Amino acid sequence: MKLKGEKMQIRRFRQEDATAVRDICFLTASGKRYQKNKDLVCALFCDYYINFEPSNCFVLTAENDLPVGYVLCAQNYEQYIKTFLENYHAKVRALSKIDAFLKRHEFAIFKRVAKDYPAHLHIDILREYQGKGWGKGLVRKLQDALKTNGVKGLHLTVDTANKRAIKFYYKLGFKKVKSLFGQAVVLAKRL
């Protein structure tokens, strides 16, 4: 819960943030199969980024410097695919054959998107800190870092039912580049 006068900041991820970031990833997961299995959620949506690209990860912290949100990024989607398959796919398959299957197909679908928009992001903020402009701040901080590294574009996936998130990304200049069977949209932005 945010206390009155609580000081918030956006800063680069540190390894000591890993437990809190994994907790946020699990707490903000939607879908019944995700709400039951923290290891699956974190293997799919968190662990690669904080273990292999921590310099492309930023956290939103409360006054006590405890993360309450984050933006995680794979700067090069092709490299992300390779590293994920080598380090996480077997774990995902052991936890959920369905998710392992879907992840492999996701890679095939996004390879074309990644040619123009090579970076991929994942963002989550605890509910009580949402709607206050922090998400915009996290994405902008990430975009600035990616531009500095010469990255030309950024993409992400959003469930079509998440109208609030889609509106948020449109306001940040993202555009729809692909629909995934009416269940999700791929949004992208040139940097």
Side-chain angles (χ1 to χ4, degrees), residues 101-116:
F101 174 80
L102 292 173
K103 195 69 170 174
R104 275 214 181 258
H105 288 306
E106 171 191 311
F107 290 155
I109 291 168
F110 290 120
K111 272 185 137 178
R112 281 182 282 182
V113 172
K115 289 188 186 325
D116 292 323

Side-chain angles (χ1 to χ4, degrees), residues 48-103:
Y48 163 84
Y49 307 98
I50 64 175
N51 291 324
F52 286 91
E53 295 198 47
S55 64
N56 290 319
C57 301
F58 296 89
V59 293
L60 169 64
T61 64
E63 191 168 312
N64 58 5
D65 203 38
L66 182 69
V68 296
Y70 59 74
V71 64
L72 311 175
C73 180
Q75 183 172 302
N76 179 316
Y77 196 72
E78 293 282 335
Q79 184 60 47
Y80 164 73
I81 292 170
K82 182 178 182 233
T83 306
F84 186 92
L85 289 172
E86 290 171 358
N87 295 277
Y88 297 101
H89 198 260
K91 180 178 184 174
V92 170
R93 188 173 50 245
L95 295 168
S96 170
K97 287 182 178 34
I98 292 169
D99 283 293
F101 174 80
L102 292 173
K103 195 69 170 174

